Amino acid sequence: MMNKKNLLFGFLSVSFFVGIWHGFPMTSMVFDEMFGSGVLRALENYTIVPQSTNIFYGTLTYLASYFLIVLMLSFIFPFVGFSVLNLKIFLAKNVYLIYLMPRIFSAILAVLMLFLVYKIIKSSIKDENSGLILLIFLFSNVLITSIWHTSRVWVLSTALVIFSFYYLYKSLNCDSQNNESGFLRNSFASIFFSFLAFSNFPLAGFSLINFPILIYLARNNRKNIKKLFLYFLIGALLLILVTIFNFKGIEDQVKQIIFGYTIEADIAGTNLPILTSIPFNFLKVLLFFPFHVLLLLYLIIKKTKIENKRLFFLSVVYSIVYF
Protein backbone atom coordinates (compact mmCIF):
# COMPACT_ATOMS: atom_id res chain seq x y z
CA MET A 1 0.00 0.00 0.00
CA MET A 2 1.45 3.38 -1.07
CA ASN A 3 1.05 5.71 1.92
CA LYS A 4 3.20 8.67 2.92
CA LYS A 5 5.52 6.49 5.01
CA ASN A 6 6.19 4.02 2.19
CA LEU A 7 6.58 6.89 -0.27
CA LEU A 8 9.17 8.55 1.95
CA PHE A 9 11.01 5.27 2.51
CA GLY A 10 11.05 4.61 -1.21
CA PHE A 11 12.33 8.11 -2.04
CA LEU A 12 15.09 8.02 0.59
CA SER A 13 16.10 4.46 -0.31
CA VAL A 14 16.44 5.35 -4.00
CA SER A 15 18.45 8.45 -3.09
CA PHE A 16 21.11 6.25 -1.49
CA PHE A 17 21.74 4.58 -4.86
CA VAL A 18 21.85 7.77 -6.95
CA GLY A 19 25.33 8.34 -8.36
CA ILE A 20 27.00 5.08 -7.31
CA TRP A 21 28.50 4.88 -10.81
CA HIS A 22 30.57 8.06 -10.56
CA GLY A 23 30.55 9.29 -6.95
CA PHE A 24 27.71 11.82 -7.25
CA PRO A 25 27.84 14.74 -6.58
CA MET A 26 31.53 14.50 -7.43
CA THR A 27 32.50 13.94 -11.05
CA SER A 28 35.55 11.78 -10.37
CA MET A 29 36.38 8.87 -8.10
CA VAL A 30 36.45 9.71 -4.41
CA PHE A 31 40.15 9.91 -3.55
CA ASP A 32 40.16 7.67 -0.48
CA GLU A 33 38.13 4.79 -1.86
CA MET A 34 41.28 2.71 -1.80
CA PHE A 35 39.57 -0.61 -1.06
CA GLY A 36 39.03 -1.45 -4.73
CA SER A 37 42.67 -0.99 -5.64
CA GLY A 38 43.69 -2.80 -2.46
CA VAL A 39 41.57 -5.79 -3.46
CA LEU A 40 43.11 -5.85 -6.96
CA ARG A 41 46.65 -5.81 -5.53
CA ALA A 42 45.80 -8.69 -3.20
CA LEU A 43 44.25 -10.69 -6.05
CA GLU A 44 47.32 -10.06 -8.19
CA ASN A 45 49.37 -11.73 -5.42
CA TYR A 46 46.85 -14.60 -5.04
CA THR A 47 45.97 -13.72 -1.45
CA ILE A 48 43.18 -12.20 0.61
CA VAL A 49 45.58 -10.44 3.02
CA PRO A 50 46.04 -6.68 2.32
CA GLN A 51 49.38 -6.01 0.68
CA SER A 52 51.97 -3.91 2.50
CA THR A 53 50.23 -0.74 3.72
CA ASN A 54 47.53 -0.51 1.06
CA ILE A 55 44.73 -0.75 3.65
CA PHE A 56 45.47 1.54 6.59
CA TYR A 57 41.99 1.15 8.09
CA GLY A 58 38.58 -0.29 7.29
CA THR A 59 39.67 -3.92 7.39
CA LEU A 60 36.07 -5.16 7.43
CA THR A 61 35.16 -2.77 4.61
CA TYR A 62 38.11 -4.19 2.69
CA LEU A 63 36.94 -7.79 3.29
CA ALA A 64 33.41 -6.96 2.18
CA SER A 65 34.82 -5.23 -0.92
CA TYR A 66 37.07 -8.23 -1.60
CA PHE A 67 34.13 -10.66 -1.58
CA LEU A 68 31.93 -8.41 -3.75
CA ILE A 69 34.66 -7.62 -6.28
CA VAL A 70 35.62 -11.29 -6.60
CA LEU A 71 31.94 -12.07 -7.17
CA MET A 72 31.76 -9.44 -9.92
CA LEU A 73 35.00 -10.58 -11.57
CA SER A 74 33.77 -14.17 -11.55
CA PHE A 75 30.74 -13.02 -13.52
CA ILE A 76 32.83 -10.99 -16.01
CA PHE A 77 35.60 -13.59 -16.49
CA PRO A 78 33.73 -15.84 -18.99
CA PHE A 79 32.89 -12.80 -21.17
CA VAL A 80 36.61 -11.97 -21.64
CA GLY A 81 37.46 -15.51 -22.72
CA PHE A 82 38.74 -16.60 -19.30
CA SER A 83 41.84 -14.51 -19.99
CA VAL A 84 43.49 -12.65 -17.10
CA LEU A 85 45.12 -10.24 -19.56
CA ASN A 86 41.78 -9.45 -21.23
CA LEU A 87 40.24 -8.98 -17.79
CA LYS A 88 42.93 -6.44 -16.86
CA ILE A 89 42.39 -4.55 -20.10
CA PHE A 90 38.63 -4.55 -19.57
CA LEU A 91 38.99 -3.20 -16.02
CA ALA A 92 41.46 -0.54 -17.15
CA LYS A 93 38.82 0.72 -19.59
CA ASN A 94 35.99 0.46 -17.04
CA VAL A 95 37.57 1.51 -13.75
CA TYR A 96 34.23 2.44 -12.20
CA LEU A 97 33.25 -1.25 -12.06
CA ILE A 98 35.79 -1.81 -9.26
CA TYR A 99 33.91 0.72 -7.15
CA LEU A 100 30.39 -0.28 -8.19
CA MET A 101 29.82 -3.41 -6.09
CA PRO A 102 31.18 -1.96 -2.80
CA ARG A 103 29.08 1.16 -3.39
CA ILE A 104 25.95 -0.94 -3.89
CA PHE A 105 26.79 -2.63 -0.58
CA SER A 106 27.06 0.80 1.09
CA ALA A 107 23.71 1.88 -0.34
CA ILE A 108 22.08 -1.30 1.02
CA LEU A 109 23.63 -0.57 4.43
CA ALA A 110 22.14 2.93 4.25
CA VAL A 111 18.67 1.45 3.66
CA LEU A 112 19.13 -0.84 6.69
CA MET A 113 20.17 2.14 8.82
CA LEU A 114 17.08 4.02 7.65
CA PHE A 115 14.79 1.21 8.85
CA LEU A 116 16.59 0.80 12.19
CA VAL A 117 16.46 4.52 12.95
CA TYR A 118 12.79 4.57 11.99
CA LYS A 119 12.09 1.73 14.43
CA ILE A 120 13.73 3.76 17.20
CA ILE A 121 11.79 6.89 16.25
CA LYS A 122 8.52 4.97 15.99
CA SER A 123 8.90 3.64 19.53
CA SER A 124 9.67 7.12 20.85
CA ILE A 125 7.40 9.52 18.96
CA LYS A 126 3.66 8.98 18.99
CA ASP A 127 2.89 11.39 16.15
CA GLU A 128 3.78 9.64 12.86
CA ASN A 129 4.11 12.90 10.92
CA SER A 130 6.71 14.23 13.39
CA GLY A 131 8.64 10.97 13.08
CA LEU A 132 8.67 11.14 9.29
CA ILE A 133 9.81 14.76 9.34
CA LEU A 134 12.65 13.77 11.65
CA LEU A 135 13.65 11.01 9.20
CA ILE A 136 13.86 13.61 6.44
CA PHE A 137 16.07 15.78 8.65
CA LEU A 138 18.37 12.88 9.45
CA PHE A 139 18.68 11.23 6.04
CA SER A 140 18.79 14.14 3.61
CA ASN A 141 21.74 16.13 4.94
CA VAL A 142 24.83 16.86 2.86
CA LEU A 143 27.04 14.22 4.53
CA ILE A 144 24.65 11.38 3.79
CA THR A 145 23.90 12.44 0.22
CA SER A 146 27.62 12.73 -0.60
CA ILE A 147 29.07 9.76 1.31
CA TRP A 148 26.59 6.97 2.03
CA HIS A 149 26.65 5.54 -1.47
CA THR A 150 30.45 5.43 -1.69
CA SER A 151 32.71 2.60 -0.59
CA ARG A 152 34.42 4.73 2.04
CA VAL A 153 35.08 3.30 5.49
CA TRP A 154 32.57 5.60 7.21
CA VAL A 155 29.52 3.84 5.78
CA LEU A 156 30.09 0.40 7.31
CA SER A 157 31.54 1.91 10.50
CA THR A 158 28.47 4.13 10.97
CA ALA A 159 26.15 1.21 10.23
CA LEU A 160 27.84 -0.99 12.83
CA VAL A 161 27.65 1.76 15.48
CA ILE A 162 23.94 2.29 14.72
CA PHE A 163 23.31 -1.47 14.93
CA SER A 164 25.08 -1.52 18.29
CA PHE A 165 23.12 1.50 19.53
CA TYR A 166 19.84 -0.05 18.40
CA TYR A 167 20.44 -3.26 20.36
CA LEU A 168 21.64 -1.30 23.39
CA TYR A 169 18.37 0.62 23.30
CA LYS A 170 16.46 -2.68 23.11
CA SER A 171 18.52 -3.95 26.07
CA LEU A 172 17.42 -0.98 28.18
CA ASN A 173 13.81 -1.64 27.29
CA CYS A 174 14.15 -5.33 28.17
CA ASP A 175 15.78 -4.40 31.48
CA SER A 176 12.90 -2.10 32.37
CA GLN A 177 10.47 -4.95 31.60
CA ASN A 178 12.52 -7.48 33.65
CA ASN A 179 13.03 -9.52 30.47
CA GLU A 180 16.36 -11.15 31.39
CA SER A 181 16.75 -13.35 28.30
CA GLY A 182 15.93 -10.40 26.01
CA PHE A 183 18.38 -8.20 27.92
CA LEU A 184 21.24 -10.69 27.48
CA ARG A 185 20.43 -11.43 23.84
CA ASN A 186 20.35 -7.77 22.86
CA SER A 187 23.38 -6.98 25.04
CA PHE A 188 25.43 -9.57 23.16
CA ALA A 189 24.37 -8.09 19.81
CA SER A 190 25.19 -4.56 20.99
CA ILE A 191 28.66 -5.51 22.26
CA PHE A 192 29.37 -7.64 19.18
CA PHE A 193 28.51 -4.83 16.74
CA SER A 194 30.55 -2.35 18.82
CA PHE A 195 33.64 -4.50 18.46
CA LEU A 196 32.96 -4.93 14.75
CA ALA A 197 32.86 -1.14 14.42
CA PHE A 198 36.06 -0.86 16.48
CA SER A 199 37.71 -3.50 14.28
CA ASN A 200 36.81 -1.54 11.16
CA PHE A 201 38.10 1.83 12.39
CA PRO A 202 39.94 2.66 15.65
CA LEU A 203 37.99 5.85 16.42
CA ALA A 204 34.74 3.86 16.38
CA GLY A 205 35.91 2.44 19.69
CA PHE A 206 33.82 5.18 21.33
CA SER A 207 30.83 2.87 20.78
CA LEU A 208 32.20 0.57 23.52
CA ILE A 209 30.60 3.01 25.97
CA ASN A 210 27.69 0.54 25.77
CA PHE A 211 29.61 -1.93 27.95
CA PRO A 212 29.77 0.18 31.17
CA ILE A 213 26.13 1.13 30.61
CA LEU A 214 25.15 -2.54 30.42
CA ILE A 215 27.28 -3.39 33.46
CA TYR A 216 25.47 -0.66 35.41
CA LEU A 217 22.10 -2.06 34.40
CA ALA A 218 23.14 -5.55 35.55
CA ARG A 219 24.89 -4.32 38.73
CA ASN A 220 22.58 -6.31 41.01
CA ASN A 221 22.84 -9.55 39.04
CA ARG A 222 26.25 -11.19 39.32
CA LYS A 223 25.30 -13.92 36.83
CA ASN A 224 24.45 -11.38 34.14
CA ILE A 225 27.61 -9.39 34.85
CA LYS A 226 29.69 -12.52 34.24
CA LYS A 227 27.88 -13.10 30.94
CA LEU A 228 28.47 -9.49 29.89
CA PHE A 229 32.19 -9.89 30.54
CA LEU A 230 32.12 -13.09 28.48
CA TYR A 231 30.48 -11.19 25.62
CA PHE A 232 33.16 -8.52 25.98
CA LEU A 233 35.93 -11.13 25.74
CA ILE A 234 34.34 -12.63 22.62
CA GLY A 235 34.27 -9.18 21.03
CA ALA A 236 37.86 -8.50 22.12
CA LEU A 237 38.97 -11.80 20.53
CA LEU A 238 37.31 -10.72 17.29
CA LEU A 239 39.15 -7.40 17.47
CA ILE A 240 42.48 -9.18 18.02
CA LEU A 241 41.92 -11.49 15.03
CA VAL A 242 41.08 -8.57 12.73
CA THR A 243 44.10 -6.62 14.01
CA ILE A 244 46.43 -9.56 13.38
CA PHE A 245 45.00 -9.95 9.88
CA ASN A 246 45.89 -6.35 8.99
CA PHE A 247 48.40 -5.49 11.71
CA LYS A 248 50.72 -3.20 9.73
CA GLY A 249 47.92 -1.10 8.28
CA ILE A 250 46.12 -0.72 11.63
CA GLU A 251 49.39 0.07 13.42
CA ASP A 252 50.18 2.87 10.96
CA GLN A 253 46.65 4.27 11.26
CA VAL A 254 46.74 4.34 15.08
CA LYS A 255 50.14 6.06 14.99
CA GLN A 256 48.76 8.67 12.63
CA ILE A 257 45.71 9.27 14.85
CA ILE A 258 47.86 9.73 17.96
CA PHE A 259 51.06 11.31 16.63
CA GLY A 260 50.64 12.27 13.00
CA TYR A 261 48.37 15.31 12.99
CA THR A 262 50.19 18.29 11.50
CA ILE A 263 49.05 21.45 9.75
CA GLU A 264 50.24 21.63 6.17
CA ALA A 265 50.04 24.76 4.08
CA ASP A 266 47.61 23.38 1.52
CA ILE A 267 45.21 21.79 4.03
CA ALA A 268 45.48 24.15 6.99
CA GLY A 269 42.63 23.64 9.40
CA THR A 270 41.84 20.07 8.38
CA ASN A 271 44.63 18.18 10.18
CA LEU A 272 44.54 19.87 13.56
CA PRO A 273 45.83 18.51 16.88
CA ILE A 274 43.09 16.71 18.82
CA LEU A 275 42.43 19.45 21.43
CA THR A 276 42.50 22.22 18.82
CA SER A 277 40.13 20.27 16.61
CA ILE A 278 37.30 20.16 19.20
CA PRO A 279 35.96 23.73 18.58
CA PHE A 280 36.60 23.21 14.86
CA ASN A 281 34.42 20.08 14.93
CA PHE A 282 31.66 21.95 16.76
CA LEU A 283 31.76 24.51 13.95
CA LYS A 284 31.44 21.70 11.41
CA VAL A 285 28.35 20.44 13.23
CA LEU A 286 26.77 23.89 12.83
CA LEU A 287 27.65 23.96 9.13
CA PHE A 288 26.60 20.41 8.27
CA PHE A 289 23.50 20.20 10.47
CA PRO A 290 22.07 23.75 10.72
CA PHE A 291 18.42 22.64 10.70
CA HIS A 292 19.08 19.98 13.34
CA VAL A 293 20.75 22.53 15.61
CA LEU A 294 17.92 25.05 15.10
CA LEU A 295 15.33 22.37 15.87
CA LEU A 296 17.19 21.38 19.03
CA LEU A 297 17.46 25.02 20.16
CA TYR A 298 13.75 25.50 19.48
CA LEU A 299 12.87 22.50 21.65
CA ILE A 300 15.13 23.77 24.45
CA ILE A 301 13.64 27.28 24.33
CA LYS A 302 10.11 25.87 24.34
CA LYS A 303 11.12 23.70 27.33
CA THR A 304 9.74 20.65 25.56
CA LYS A 305 9.21 17.70 27.84
CA ILE A 306 11.47 14.70 27.22
CA GLU A 307 9.13 11.75 26.76
CA ASN A 308 11.73 8.98 26.24
CA LYS A 309 14.36 9.59 28.90
CA ARG A 310 16.23 6.35 28.12
CA LEU A 311 16.78 7.28 24.49
CA PHE A 312 17.70 10.84 25.47
CA PHE A 313 20.26 9.54 27.97
CA LEU A 314 21.85 7.21 25.41
CA SER A 315 21.96 9.94 22.77
CA VAL A 316 23.66 12.41 25.10
CA VAL A 317 26.21 9.85 26.33
CA TYR A 318 27.12 8.74 22.80
CA SER A 319 27.41 12.34 21.62
CA ILE A 320 29.69 13.36 24.49
CA VAL A 321 31.94 10.31 24.16
CA TYR A 322 32.10 10.74 20.37
CA PHE A 323 33.30 14.34 20.65
Side-chain angles (χ1 to χ4, degrees):
M1 182 178 179
M2 186 57 69
N3 54 35
K4 56 188 174 184
K5 183 192 77 173
N6 293 335
L7 189 64
L8 176 61
F9 273 36
F11 176 79
L12 289 175
S13 296
V14 169
S15 73
F16 299 145
F17 289 87
V18 173
I20 58 175
W21 48 89
H22 59 53
F24 178 85
M26 306 169 197
T27 56
S28 60
M29 297 299 175
V30 180
F31 77 96
D32 62 349
E33 289 187 272
M34 75 290 196
F35 301 103
S37 57
V39 168
L40 292 183
R41 291 190 184 97
L43 287 172
E44 198 167 28
N45 288 278
Y46 305 100
T47 181
I48 191 173
V49 179
Q51 299 300 288
S52 184
T53 56
N54 288 322
I55 306 299
F56 293 100
Y57 52 80
T59 308
L60 299 183
T61 302
Y62 161 80
L63 288 172
S65 300
Y66 189 99
F67 171 77
L68 293 169
I69 290 173
V70 167
L71 190 66
M72 181 195 67
L73 295 180
S74 300
F75 176 78
I76 296 174
F77 203 41
F79 294 95
V80 294
F82 296 97
S83 168
V84 174
L85 178 60
N86 289 342
L87 181 62
K88 289 182 177 180
I89 295 173
F90 178 79
L91 291 177
K93 293 180 178 179
N94 302 275
V95 179
Y96 74 94
L97 289 175
I98 299 302
Y99 298 86
L100 187 59
M101 291 296 285
R103 286 175 173 181
I104 291 174
F105 175 65
S106 292
I108 293 172
L109 284 175
V111 174
L112 290 176
M113 286 187 270
L114 171 66
F115 277 90
L116 277 185
V117 172
Y118 173 72
K119 290 183 72 172
I120 295 175
I121 290 175
K122 186 179 179 181
S123 67
S124 308
I125 300 178
K126 296 178 182 179
D127 180 40
E128 183 183 32
N129 290 332
S130 298
L132 295 179
I133 291 172
L134 186 55
L135 272 185
I136 296 174
F137 269 86
L138 291 173
F139 287 92
S140 61
N141 66 74
V142 64
L143 288 180
I144 288 178
T145 55
S146 62
I147 292 178
W148 278 26
H149 60 268
T150 71
S151 61
R152 298 172 76 178
V153 66
W154 319 116
V155 184
L156 180 57
S157 294
T158 302
L160 292 171
V161 171
I162 288 179
F163 294 164
S164 175
F165 182 91
Y166 171 74
Y167 285 108
L168 175 61
Y169 178 59
K170 290 187 68 175
S171 296
L172 263 69
N173 289 336
C174 289
D175 179 70
S176 65
Q177 298 165 6
N178 294 317
N179 182 354
E180 185 173 324
S181 62
F183 171 78
L184 290 173
R185 182 173 62 252
N186 288 297
S187 295
F188 175 77
S190 179
I191 293 172
F192 181 75
F193 280 116
S194 285
F195 271 104
L196 282 178
F198 193 12
S199 300
N200 198 46
F201 190 69
L203 292 184
F206 79 90
S207 63
L208 290 174
I209 189 62
N210 62 352
F211 183 68
I213 293 174
L214 291 169
I215 289 294
Y216 177 79
L217 291 175
R219 63 191 182 280
N220 296 322
N221 191 324
R222 184 173 296 181
K223 177 184 174 183
N224 285 352
I225 289 179
K226 289 182 179 179
K227 288 186 177 181
L228 289 175
F229 272 102
L230 176 62
Y231 300 159
F232 187 89
L233 290 176
I234 293 173
L237 177 61
L238 174 66
L239 174 64
I240 291 171
L241 292 175
V242 173
T243 303
I244 292 173
F245 176 77
N246 186 24
F247 181 78
K248 181 59 179 174
I250 293 175
E251 180 188 31
D252 290 344
Q253 176 66 13
V254 171
K255 286 181 179 178
Q256 182 184 6
I257 289 172
I258 299 175
F259 305 111
Y261 282 90
T262 57
I263 302 177
E264 299 177 16
D266 57 335
I267 55 171
T270 60
N271 267 350
L272 299 174
I274 292 176
L275 290 179
T276 310
S277 71
I278 291 177
F280 180 68
N281 282 319
F282 272 110
L283 177 61
K284 286 199 295 184
V285 169
L286 295 176
L287 294 175
F288 281 123
F289 307 103
F291 296 112
H292 304 73
V293 174
L294 289 174
L295 178 60
L296 183 61
L297 289 175
Y298 171 77
L299 294 175
I300 293 174
I301 293 172
K302 293 287 290 185
K303 297 180 180 179
T304 306
K305 182 181 177 182
I306 299 171
E307 295 184 5
N308 193 327
K309 292 182 172 58
R310 294 190 193 92
L311 183 58
F312 177 77
F313 166 76
L314 290 182
S315 301
V316 170
V317 169
Y318 269 70
S319 298
I320 292 173
V321 176
Y322 173 76
F323 273 104

